[in-house]
Amino acid sequence: MAYSSHCFFFVSVALLLQFLIAPASALPLQSTQYIDDLCKMPSIDDKTFCLQTLTGYQGAMYAGSSITLAQIVISGLLVPHVQKTMRFALLTSAKEPPSIKTQFMTSREYLRTVGYSLAKAFDQLAVSPRSSTQDVMSCTDQITKVLNLIGKNQDVASKTLIEMTMRMKKLLPLGVAAAQAVAG
């Protein structure tokens, strides 16, 4: 009796999941076309990373236009990563010796500038996509400053901050390409 009720439960769950989970063929074709187009932009060096990142991010999969996809890339992928990296730099700096603390606080300021640039880019997408593209591109300079400042350090916290910053450096081309796609 217990065996049959367990089987019934698992079969019921399996059937229910088939209805709740949309198959890949049910995903909006237009959204995947926007992603494909974005990942084919000349500013994207790692097309595989672009496709994996955007198709793995549910918000991007349901973008209804290139501007919506650009907004999702900036506000859903780039900004949260910058915020996370800034929080790490701030919280970790309190535990570090003075020389590293200063470097982490300076890095946080560079990252804050990245955050401001991304916010400006987001606001400008619909009005001036070319300005938006420039704002995202300017983040590369700030990221390079962080890498140059912290890159020589060998402590665990610095290595973690470098990894987070390198991830941001890898995500930035997605934001550039997204803004460029809106600009046409």
Side-chain angles (χ1 to χ4, degrees):
M1 180 77 165
Y3 175 75
S4 64
S5 64
H6 286 288
C7 284
F8 176 75
F9 172 75
F10 287 114
V11 169
S12 298
V13 169
L15 289 172
L16 182 61
L17 285 174
Q18 288 181 354
F19 291 106
L20 293 177
I21 299 174
S25 62
L27 291 174
L29 293 176
Q30 196 171 19
S31 297
T32 56
Q33 186 60 50
Y34 293 128
I35 291 170
D36 289 342
D37 292 347
L38 187 151
C39 292
K40 290 177 184 172
M41 298 287 290
S43 57
I44 300 292
D45 291 330
D46 190 345
K47 296 182 186 335
T48 303
F49 172 78
C50 180
L51 285 169
Q52 288 175 344
T53 301
L54 295 180
T55 57
Y57 187 69
Q58 189 170 1
M61 290 300 298
Y62 291 96
S65 67
S66 59
I67 193 165
T68 305
L69 180 58
Q71 290 169 332
I72 288 168
V73 168
I74 292 171
S75 68
L77 291 174
L78 297 176
V79 169
H81 188 73
V82 170
Q83 291 171 336
K84 179 180 168 184
T85 307
M86 283 175 41
R87 273 192 307 275
F88 177 81
L90 177 65
L91 296 174
T92 306
S93 68
K95 305 172 195 170
E96 296 299 319
S99 63
I100 293 186
K101 178 179 183 167
T102 302
Q103 291 176 353
F104 270 57
M105 293 308 291
T106 302
S107 294
R108 183 177 173 270
E109 289 306 312
Y110 292 147
L111 294 166
R112 180 182 285 181
T113 302
V114 170
Y116 288 139
S117 294
L118 292 173
K120 187 176 170 189
F122 181 87
D123 288 341
Q124 291 293 316
L125 270 170
V127 183
S128 178
R130 291 185 197 279
S131 295
S132 183
T133 301
Q134 290 299 323
D135 289 330
V136 178
M137 290 174 81
S138 73
C139 296
T140 304
D141 295 338
Q142 301 303 314
I143 295 299
T144 300
K145 288 179 181 179
V146 173
L147 294 173
N148 289 339
L149 182 64
I150 304 291
K152 300 173 216 85
N153 299 348
Q154 295 300 313
D155 60 288
V156 173
S158 295
K159 287 181 180 184
T160 302
L161 183 58
I162 289 294
E163 286 176 23
M164 295 174 86
T165 305
M166 290 300 293
R167 173 77 174 167
M168 185 68 207
K169 186 175 181 177
K170 193 163 184 159
L171 288 170
L172 273 176
L174 303 183
V176 171
Q180 288 172 336
V182 174

